[in-house]
mmCIF file of all heavy atoms in Angstrom:
data_model
loop_
_atom_site.group_PDB
_atom_site.id
_atom_site.type_symbol
_atom_site.label_atom_id
_atom_site.label_comp_id
_atom_site.label_asym_id
_atom_site.label_seq_id
_atom_site.Cartn_x
_atom_site.Cartn_y
_atom_site.Cartn_z
ATOM 1 N N TRP A 25 61.187 60.245 -46.325
ATOM 2 C CA TRP A 25 60.522 59.664 -47.479
ATOM 3 C C TRP A 25 59.083 59.921 -47.433
ATOM 4 O O TRP A 25 58.633 60.461 -46.449
ATOM 5 C CB TRP A 25 60.925 58.252 -47.820
ATOM 6 C CG TRP A 25 60.348 57.219 -46.797
ATOM 7 C CD1 TRP A 25 60.875 56.894 -45.571
ATOM 8 C CD2 TRP A 25 59.310 56.300 -47.038
ATOM 9 N NE1 TRP A 25 60.179 55.956 -45.008
ATOM 10 C CE2 TRP A 25 59.129 55.529 -45.875
ATOM 11 C CE3 TRP A 25 58.484 56.122 -48.120
ATOM 12 C CZ2 TRP A 25 58.171 54.569 -45.818
ATOM 13 C CZ3 TRP A 25 57.482 55.109 -48.004
ATOM 14 C CH2 TRP A 25 57.347 54.342 -46.880
ATOM 15 N N MET A 26 58.296 59.441 -48.452
ATOM 16 C CA MET A 26 56.892 59.785 -48.443
ATOM 17 C C MET A 26 56.090 58.622 -48.921
ATOM 18 O O MET A 26 56.410 58.053 -50.031
ATOM 19 C CB MET A 26 56.722 61.009 -49.269
ATOM 20 C CG MET A 26 55.313 61.596 -49.324
ATOM 21 S SD MET A 26 55.306 63.151 -50.337
ATOM 22 C CE MET A 26 55.470 62.493 -51.947
ATOM 23 N N MET A 27 55.004 58.221 -48.246
ATOM 24 C CA MET A 27 54.193 57.145 -48.654
ATOM 25 C C MET A 27 53.571 57.474 -50.084
ATOM 26 O O MET A 27 52.972 58.655 -50.273
ATOM 27 C CB MET A 27 53.078 56.836 -47.753
ATOM 28 C CG MET A 27 53.632 55.935 -46.582
ATOM 29 S SD MET A 27 52.257 55.392 -45.486
ATOM 30 C CE MET A 27 52.322 56.752 -44.380
ATOM 31 N N ARG A 28 53.500 56.507 -50.952
ATOM 32 C CA ARG A 28 53.122 56.819 -52.379
ATOM 33 C C ARG A 28 53.945 57.885 -53.171
ATOM 34 O O ARG A 28 53.332 58.663 -53.919
ATOM 35 C CB ARG A 28 51.574 57.209 -52.418
ATOM 36 C CG ARG A 28 50.698 56.032 -51.963
ATOM 37 C CD ARG A 28 50.428 55.021 -53.103
ATOM 38 N NE ARG A 28 49.706 53.887 -52.597
ATOM 39 C CZ ARG A 28 48.421 53.686 -52.735
ATOM 40 N NH1 ARG A 28 47.662 54.570 -53.328
ATOM 41 N NH2 ARG A 28 47.892 52.553 -52.307
ATOM 42 N N GLN A 29 55.221 57.924 -52.743
ATOM 43 C CA GLN A 29 56.068 58.966 -53.398
ATOM 44 C C GLN A 29 56.143 58.792 -54.866
ATOM 45 O O GLN A 29 56.385 59.717 -55.686
ATOM 46 C CB GLN A 29 57.399 59.083 -52.779
ATOM 47 C CG GLN A 29 58.311 57.817 -52.835
ATOM 48 C CD GLN A 29 59.472 57.970 -51.871
ATOM 49 O OE1 GLN A 29 59.516 58.711 -50.896
ATOM 50 N NE2 GLN A 29 60.602 57.203 -52.174
ATOM 51 N N ALA A 30 55.959 57.549 -55.367
ATOM 52 C CA ALA A 30 55.892 57.313 -56.841
ATOM 53 C C ALA A 30 54.295 57.166 -57.033
ATOM 54 O O ALA A 30 53.667 56.319 -56.438
ATOM 55 C CB ALA A 30 56.465 55.966 -57.240
ATOM 56 N N GLY A 31 53.794 58.114 -57.815
ATOM 57 C CA GLY A 31 52.337 58.033 -58.009
ATOM 58 C C GLY A 31 51.750 59.107 -58.915
ATOM 59 O O GLY A 31 52.510 59.864 -59.478
ATOM 60 N N ARG A 32 50.448 59.175 -58.973
ATOM 61 C CA ARG A 32 49.820 59.913 -59.981
ATOM 62 C C ARG A 32 49.918 61.398 -59.807
ATOM 63 O O ARG A 32 49.557 62.189 -60.726
ATOM 64 C CB ARG A 32 48.311 59.617 -60.003
ATOM 65 C CG ARG A 32 48.132 58.213 -60.694
ATOM 66 C CD ARG A 32 46.589 57.696 -60.489
ATOM 67 N NE ARG A 32 46.370 57.471 -59.128
ATOM 68 C CZ ARG A 32 45.193 57.141 -58.674
ATOM 69 N NH1 ARG A 32 44.165 56.977 -59.480
ATOM 70 N NH2 ARG A 32 44.926 56.772 -57.406
ATOM 71 N N TYR A 37 55.375 59.847 -63.589
ATOM 72 C CA TYR A 37 54.817 58.625 -63.246
ATOM 73 C C TYR A 37 53.650 58.330 -64.236
ATOM 74 O O TYR A 37 53.586 57.223 -64.792
ATOM 75 C CB TYR A 37 54.170 58.602 -61.820
ATOM 76 C CG TYR A 37 53.277 57.446 -61.536
ATOM 77 C CD1 TYR A 37 53.808 56.201 -61.128
ATOM 78 C CD2 TYR A 37 51.899 57.480 -61.718
ATOM 79 C CE1 TYR A 37 53.069 55.105 -60.954
ATOM 80 C CE2 TYR A 37 51.115 56.403 -61.514
ATOM 81 C CZ TYR A 37 51.671 55.173 -61.113
ATOM 82 O OH TYR A 37 50.898 54.103 -60.930
ATOM 83 N N ARG A 41 53.431 55.032 -66.580
ATOM 84 C CA ARG A 41 52.249 54.162 -66.469
ATOM 85 C C ARG A 41 51.490 53.923 -67.875
ATOM 86 O O ARG A 41 51.107 52.869 -68.158
ATOM 87 C CB ARG A 41 51.329 54.718 -65.412
ATOM 88 C CG ARG A 41 50.120 53.867 -65.031
ATOM 89 C CD ARG A 41 49.366 54.636 -63.930
ATOM 90 N NE ARG A 41 48.159 53.952 -63.468
ATOM 91 C CZ ARG A 41 46.964 53.922 -64.092
ATOM 92 N NH1 ARG A 41 46.862 54.484 -65.232
ATOM 93 N NH2 ARG A 41 45.981 53.268 -63.503
ATOM 94 N N PHE A 47 48.010 49.652 -64.663
ATOM 95 C CA PHE A 47 48.724 49.616 -63.437
ATOM 96 C C PHE A 47 49.479 48.234 -63.116
ATOM 97 O O PHE A 47 50.569 48.156 -62.696
ATOM 98 C CB PHE A 47 47.735 49.984 -62.289
ATOM 99 C CG PHE A 47 48.320 49.826 -60.907
ATOM 100 C CD1 PHE A 47 49.386 50.674 -60.416
ATOM 101 C CD2 PHE A 47 47.953 48.902 -60.080
ATOM 102 C CE1 PHE A 47 49.931 50.592 -59.188
ATOM 103 C CE2 PHE A 47 48.516 48.683 -58.718
ATOM 104 C CZ PHE A 47 49.505 49.623 -58.326
ATOM 105 N N ILE A 74 60.873 53.420 -52.032
ATOM 106 C CA ILE A 74 60.050 52.266 -51.725
ATOM 107 C C ILE A 74 59.710 51.553 -53.082
ATOM 108 O O ILE A 74 59.273 52.185 -53.976
ATOM 109 C CB ILE A 74 58.751 52.563 -50.947
ATOM 110 C CG1 ILE A 74 57.965 51.325 -50.614
ATOM 111 C CG2 ILE A 74 57.884 53.665 -51.703
ATOM 112 C CD1 ILE A 74 57.046 51.437 -49.404
ATOM 113 N N LEU A 75 60.053 50.248 -53.072
ATOM 114 C CA LEU A 75 59.744 49.414 -54.137
ATOM 115 C C LEU A 75 58.374 49.750 -54.749
ATOM 116 O O LEU A 75 57.297 49.863 -53.934
ATOM 117 C CB LEU A 75 59.731 47.975 -53.651
ATOM 118 C CG LEU A 75 59.094 46.866 -54.503
ATOM 119 C CD1 LEU A 75 59.978 46.729 -55.778
ATOM 120 C CD2 LEU A 75 58.940 45.526 -53.740
ATOM 121 N N PHE A 76 58.175 49.850 -55.966
ATOM 122 C CA PHE A 76 56.966 50.104 -56.603
ATOM 123 C C PHE A 76 56.294 48.700 -56.939
ATOM 124 O O PHE A 76 56.735 47.916 -57.688
ATOM 125 C CB PHE A 76 57.082 50.855 -57.948
ATOM 126 C CG PHE A 76 55.657 51.266 -58.390
ATOM 127 C CD1 PHE A 76 55.099 52.403 -57.957
ATOM 128 C CD2 PHE A 76 54.939 50.527 -59.322
ATOM 129 C CE1 PHE A 76 53.744 52.719 -58.325
ATOM 130 C CE2 PHE A 76 53.623 50.770 -59.703
ATOM 131 C CZ PHE A 76 53.008 51.922 -59.165
ATOM 132 N N ALA A 77 55.193 48.553 -56.205
ATOM 133 C CA ALA A 77 54.397 47.287 -56.324
ATOM 134 C C ALA A 77 53.105 47.550 -55.657
ATOM 135 O O ALA A 77 52.698 48.670 -55.494
ATOM 136 C CB ALA A 77 55.131 46.073 -55.650
ATOM 137 N N ASP A 78 52.408 46.559 -55.181
ATOM 138 C CA ASP A 78 51.027 46.796 -54.526
ATOM 139 C C ASP A 78 50.770 45.639 -53.515
ATOM 140 O O ASP A 78 51.215 44.543 -53.811
ATOM 141 C CB ASP A 78 49.962 46.882 -55.491
ATOM 142 C CG ASP A 78 48.650 47.543 -54.814
ATOM 143 O OD1 ASP A 78 48.734 48.834 -54.679
ATOM 144 O OD2 ASP A 78 47.785 46.750 -54.386
ATOM 145 N N ILE A 79 50.125 45.963 -52.498
ATOM 146 C CA ILE A 79 49.812 44.936 -51.435
ATOM 147 C C ILE A 79 48.933 43.756 -52.016
ATOM 148 O O ILE A 79 48.921 42.696 -51.478
ATOM 149 C CB ILE A 79 49.205 45.511 -50.200
ATOM 150 C CG1 ILE A 79 47.790 46.084 -50.436
ATOM 151 C CG2 ILE A 79 50.126 46.561 -49.502
ATOM 152 C CD1 ILE A 79 46.930 46.290 -49.227
ATOM 153 N N LEU A 80 48.216 44.081 -53.122
ATOM 154 C CA LEU A 80 47.248 43.186 -53.651
ATOM 155 C C LEU A 80 47.917 42.105 -54.621
ATOM 156 O O LEU A 80 47.154 41.246 -55.082
ATOM 157 C CB LEU A 80 46.098 43.855 -54.364
ATOM 158 C CG LEU A 80 45.333 44.807 -53.307
ATOM 159 C CD1 LEU A 80 44.267 45.563 -54.058
ATOM 160 C CD2 LEU A 80 44.773 43.980 -52.183
ATOM 161 N N PHE A 92 42.020 46.223 -61.896
ATOM 162 C CA PHE A 92 41.758 47.521 -61.418
ATOM 163 C C PHE A 92 40.782 48.257 -62.365
ATOM 164 O O PHE A 92 40.913 48.217 -63.640
ATOM 165 C CB PHE A 92 43.084 48.375 -61.446
ATOM 166 C CG PHE A 92 43.916 48.019 -60.178
ATOM 167 C CD1 PHE A 92 44.695 46.856 -60.141
ATOM 168 C CD2 PHE A 92 43.912 48.817 -59.142
ATOM 169 C CE1 PHE A 92 45.413 46.554 -59.033
ATOM 170 C CE2 PHE A 92 44.678 48.525 -57.967
ATOM 171 C CZ PHE A 92 45.424 47.343 -57.897
ATOM 172 N N GLU A 96 38.050 53.846 -60.110
ATOM 173 C CA GLU A 96 37.424 53.210 -58.941
ATOM 174 C C GLU A 96 38.364 52.537 -57.930
ATOM 175 O O GLU A 96 38.300 52.742 -56.743
ATOM 176 C CB GLU A 96 36.325 52.182 -59.369
ATOM 177 C CG GLU A 96 35.107 53.013 -59.971
ATOM 178 C CD GLU A 96 33.972 52.058 -60.351
ATOM 179 O OE1 GLU A 96 33.887 50.904 -59.576
ATOM 180 O OE2 GLU A 96 33.258 52.258 -61.308
ATOM 181 N N GLY A 97 39.209 51.654 -58.489
ATOM 182 C CA GLY A 97 40.149 51.008 -57.649
ATOM 183 C C GLY A 97 40.276 49.542 -57.947
ATOM 184 O O GLY A 97 39.716 48.991 -58.991
ATOM 185 N N PRO A 98 40.794 48.748 -56.956
ATOM 186 C CA PRO A 98 41.034 47.240 -57.157
ATOM 187 C C PRO A 98 39.711 46.465 -57.079
ATOM 188 O O PRO A 98 38.795 46.840 -56.244
ATOM 189 C CB PRO A 98 42.014 46.960 -56.081
ATOM 190 C CG PRO A 98 41.801 48.002 -55.077
ATOM 191 C CD PRO A 98 41.335 49.202 -55.662
ATOM 192 N N PHE A 145 58.091 46.074 -49.099
ATOM 193 C CA PHE A 145 56.844 46.047 -48.283
ATOM 194 C C PHE A 145 55.869 44.927 -48.612
ATOM 195 O O PHE A 145 55.984 44.271 -49.668
ATOM 196 C CB PHE A 145 56.164 47.444 -48.471
ATOM 197 C CG PHE A 145 55.419 47.614 -49.735
ATOM 198 C CD1 PHE A 145 54.073 47.243 -49.940
ATOM 199 C CD2 PHE A 145 56.022 48.081 -50.954
ATOM 200 C CE1 PHE A 145 53.420 47.339 -51.122
ATOM 201 C CE2 PHE A 145 55.447 48.119 -52.179
ATOM 202 C CZ PHE A 145 54.140 47.806 -52.248
ATOM 203 N N THR A 151 44.639 43.602 -43.380
ATOM 204 C CA THR A 151 44.359 44.541 -44.424
ATOM 205 C C THR A 151 44.135 43.755 -45.717
ATOM 206 O O THR A 151 43.252 43.990 -46.591
ATOM 207 C CB THR A 151 45.423 45.591 -44.502
ATOM 208 O OG1 THR A 151 45.156 46.522 -43.373
ATOM 209 C CG2 THR A 151 45.351 46.410 -45.818
ATOM 210 N N TYR A 155 40.486 42.924 -48.369
ATOM 211 C CA TYR A 155 40.295 43.041 -49.850
ATOM 212 C C TYR A 155 39.912 41.710 -50.365
ATOM 213 O O TYR A 155 39.051 41.555 -51.354
ATOM 214 C CB TYR A 155 41.558 43.568 -50.445
ATOM 215 C CG TYR A 155 41.809 44.999 -50.195
ATOM 216 C CD1 TYR A 155 42.687 45.413 -49.229
ATOM 217 C CD2 TYR A 155 41.165 46.047 -50.959
ATOM 218 C CE1 TYR A 155 42.913 46.758 -48.939
ATOM 219 C CE2 TYR A 155 41.381 47.396 -50.744
ATOM 220 C CZ TYR A 155 42.236 47.787 -49.667
ATOM 221 O OH TYR A 155 42.446 49.075 -49.409
ATOM 222 N N GLN A 160 37.080 44.110 -52.851
ATOM 223 C CA GLN A 160 37.326 45.545 -53.150
ATOM 224 C C GLN A 160 37.651 46.284 -51.880
ATOM 225 O O GLN A 160 37.447 45.692 -50.773
ATOM 226 C CB GLN A 160 36.140 46.208 -53.836
ATOM 227 C CG GLN A 160 34.885 46.231 -53.050
ATOM 228 C CD GLN A 160 33.690 46.811 -53.880
ATOM 229 O OE1 GLN A 160 33.205 46.039 -54.734
ATOM 230 N NE2 GLN A 160 33.395 47.965 -53.643
ATOM 231 N N GLY A 161 38.027 47.601 -51.959
ATOM 232 C CA GLY A 161 38.151 48.403 -50.773
ATOM 233 C C GLY A 161 36.704 48.725 -50.154
ATOM 234 O O GLY A 161 35.788 48.840 -50.908
ATOM 235 N N THR A 162 36.611 48.757 -48.798
ATOM 236 C CA THR A 162 35.316 48.951 -48.173
ATOM 237 C C THR A 162 35.615 50.102 -47.152
ATOM 238 O O THR A 162 36.603 50.054 -46.459
ATOM 239 C CB THR A 162 34.804 47.724 -47.546
ATOM 240 O OG1 THR A 162 35.952 47.111 -46.855
ATOM 241 C CG2 THR A 162 34.289 46.739 -48.591
ATOM 242 N N PHE A 208 52.197 47.226 -44.057
ATOM 243 C CA PHE A 208 51.104 48.109 -44.124
ATOM 244 C C PHE A 208 49.843 47.581 -43.613
ATOM 245 O O PHE A 208 49.158 46.705 -44.302
ATOM 246 C CB PHE A 208 50.816 48.616 -45.544
ATOM 247 C CG PHE A 208 51.836 49.554 -46.089
ATOM 248 C CD1 PHE A 208 52.998 49.051 -46.816
ATOM 249 C CD2 PHE A 208 51.675 50.958 -46.012
ATOM 250 C CE1 PHE A 208 53.941 50.053 -47.377
ATOM 251 C CE2 PHE A 208 52.562 51.858 -46.637
ATOM 252 C CZ PHE A 208 53.660 51.345 -47.255
ATOM 253 N N SER A 210 46.750 49.093 -43.267
ATOM 254 C CA SER A 210 45.922 50.315 -43.463
ATOM 255 C C SER A 210 44.626 50.317 -42.844
ATOM 256 O O SER A 210 44.110 51.294 -42.470
ATOM 257 C CB SER A 210 45.748 50.507 -44.943
ATOM 258 O OG SER A 210 46.956 50.463 -45.670
ATOM 259 N N TRP A 211 44.030 49.116 -42.465
ATOM 260 C CA TRP A 211 42.728 49.049 -41.955
ATOM 261 C C TRP A 211 42.741 48.543 -40.432
ATOM 262 O O TRP A 211 41.676 48.076 -39.842
ATOM 263 C CB TRP A 211 41.782 48.140 -42.773
ATOM 264 C CG TRP A 211 41.619 48.716 -44.164
ATOM 265 C CD1 TRP A 211 41.960 48.048 -45.294
ATOM 266 C CD2 TRP A 211 41.060 49.943 -44.545
ATOM 267 N NE1 TRP A 211 41.751 48.869 -46.415
ATOM 268 C CE2 TRP A 211 41.161 50.020 -45.999
ATOM 269 C CE3 TRP A 211 40.505 51.088 -43.921
ATOM 270 C CZ2 TRP A 211 40.674 51.206 -46.660
ATOM 271 C CZ3 TRP A 211 40.081 52.211 -44.535
ATOM 272 C CH2 TRP A 211 40.164 52.223 -46.000
ATOM 273 N N PHE A 247 52.891 49.483 -39.535
ATOM 274 C CA PHE A 247 52.054 50.666 -39.742
ATOM 275 C C PHE A 247 50.594 50.178 -39.458
ATOM 276 O O PHE A 247 49.881 49.931 -40.365
ATOM 277 C CB PHE A 247 52.206 51.241 -41.228
ATOM 278 C CG PHE A 247 51.327 52.456 -41.480
ATOM 279 C CD1 PHE A 247 51.096 53.401 -40.526
ATOM 280 C CD2 PHE A 247 50.783 52.654 -42.752
ATOM 281 C CE1 PHE A 247 50.330 54.569 -40.776
ATOM 282 C CE2 PHE A 247 50.020 53.752 -43.031
ATOM 283 C CZ PHE A 247 49.813 54.779 -42.038
ATOM 284 N N ARG A 249 47.632 51.543 -39.141
ATOM 285 C CA ARG A 249 47.073 52.825 -39.328
ATOM 286 C C ARG A 249 45.768 53.040 -38.476
ATOM 287 O O ARG A 249 44.937 52.121 -38.397
ATOM 288 C CB ARG A 249 46.695 53.027 -40.832
ATOM 289 C CG ARG A 249 46.373 54.556 -41.196
ATOM 290 C CD ARG A 249 46.308 54.599 -42.684
ATOM 291 N NE ARG A 249 45.106 54.020 -43.226
ATOM 292 C CZ ARG A 249 43.934 54.555 -43.385
ATOM 293 N NH1 ARG A 249 43.818 55.796 -43.137
ATOM 294 N NH2 ARG A 249 42.948 53.948 -43.941
ATOM 295 N N HIS A 326 49.656 59.305 -44.264
ATOM 296 C CA HIS A 326 49.173 58.288 -45.278
ATOM 297 C C HIS A 326 49.641 58.687 -46.674
ATOM 298 O O HIS A 326 50.425 59.660 -46.710
ATOM 299 C CB HIS A 326 47.579 58.306 -45.205
ATOM 300 C CG HIS A 326 46.954 57.083 -45.794
ATOM 301 N ND1 HIS A 326 45.590 56.922 -45.985
ATOM 302 C CD2 HIS A 326 47.497 55.885 -46.124
ATOM 303 C CE1 HIS A 326 45.379 55.671 -46.509
ATOM 304 N NE2 HIS A 326 46.481 55.036 -46.599
ATOM 305 N N GLY A 327 49.285 57.979 -47.688
ATOM 306 C CA GLY A 327 49.907 58.315 -48.940
ATOM 307 C C GLY A 327 49.458 59.636 -49.592
ATOM 308 O O GLY A 327 48.334 60.124 -49.370
HETATM 309 O O1 LIG B 1 46.293 54.209 -61.092
HETATM 310 C C1 LIG B 1 47.397 53.957 -60.473
HETATM 311 O O2 LIG B 1 48.433 54.354 -60.887
HETATM 312 C C2 LIG B 1 47.175 53.149 -59.249
HETATM 313 C C3 LIG B 1 47.301 53.886 -57.949
HETATM 314 C C4 LIG B 1 48.126 52.963 -57.086
HETATM 315 C C5 LIG B 1 49.568 53.095 -56.741
HETATM 316 C C6 LIG B 1 50.457 54.245 -57.234
HETATM 317 C C7 LIG B 1 47.788 51.766 -56.520
HETATM 318 C C8 LIG B 1 46.455 51.103 -56.565
HETATM 319 N N1 LIG B 1 48.794 51.230 -55.754
HETATM 320 C C9 LIG B 1 49.926 52.030 -55.976
HETATM 321 C C10 LIG B 1 51.293 51.656 -55.561
HETATM 322 C C11 LIG B 1 51.504 51.329 -54.058
HETATM 323 N N2 LIG B 1 50.463 50.748 -53.286
HETATM 324 C C12 LIG B 1 52.671 51.423 -53.416
HETATM 325 C C13 LIG B 1 53.933 51.755 -54.069
HETATM 326 C C14 LIG B 1 55.088 52.488 -53.381
HETATM 327 C C15 LIG B 1 54.755 53.892 -52.990
HETATM 328 O O3 LIG B 1 54.341 54.148 -51.816
HETATM 329 O O4 LIG B 1 55.180 54.740 -53.717
HETATM 330 C C16 LIG B 1 52.411 50.970 -52.083
HETATM 331 C C17 LIG B 1 53.367 50.909 -50.918
HETATM 332 C C18 LIG B 1 51.065 50.569 -51.994
HETATM 333 C C19 LIG B 1 50.349 49.990 -50.825
HETATM 334 C C20 LIG B 1 48.952 49.774 -50.835
HETATM 335 N N3 LIG B 1 48.011 49.486 -51.893
HETATM 336 C C21 LIG B 1 48.130 49.886 -49.646
HETATM 337 C C22 LIG B 1 48.753 50.219 -48.327
HETATM 338 C C23 LIG B 1 48.977 51.598 -48.104
HETATM 339 C C24 LIG B 1 47.819 52.588 -48.066
HETATM 340 O O5 LIG B 1 47.752 53.421 -48.997
HETATM 341 O O6 LIG B 1 46.910 52.436 -47.141
HETATM 342 C C25 LIG B 1 46.812 49.622 -50.063
HETATM 343 C C26 LIG B 1 45.586 49.685 -49.092
HETATM 344 C C27 LIG B 1 46.754 49.324 -51.423
HETATM 345 C C28 LIG B 1 45.602 48.883 -52.144
HETATM 346 C C29 LIG B 1 45.304 49.889 -53.347
HETATM 347 N N4 LIG B 1 46.179 49.776 -54.460
HETATM 348 C C30 LIG B 1 45.796 50.816 -55.245
HETATM 349 C C31 LIG B 1 44.649 51.553 -54.608
HETATM 350 C C32 LIG B 1 43.947 52.706 -55.210
HETATM 351 C C33 LIG B 1 44.495 50.962 -53.418
HETATM 352 C C34 LIG B 1 43.471 51.309 -52.289
HETATM 353 C C35 LIG B 1 42.161 50.900 -52.744
HETATM 354 C C36 LIG B 1 40.998 51.046 -51.784
HETATM 355 O O7 LIG B 1 41.131 50.806 -50.588
HETATM 356 O O8 LIG B 1 39.865 51.252 -52.257
#
Side-chain angles (χ1 to χ4, degrees):
W25 69 281
M26 187 175 72
M27 280 186 272
R28 294 279 170 100
Q29 62 191 23
R32 284 171 293 177
Y37 169 83
R41 187 177 180 280
F47 175 68
I74 182 158
L75 165 69
F76 190 83
D78 196 81
I79 66 164
L80 300 176
F92 281 79
E96 289 187 29
F145 74 94
T151 287
Y155 289 96
Q160 63 185 76
T162 46
F208 285 88
S210 303
W211 301 117
F247 183 34
R249 191 170 74 90
H326 200 190

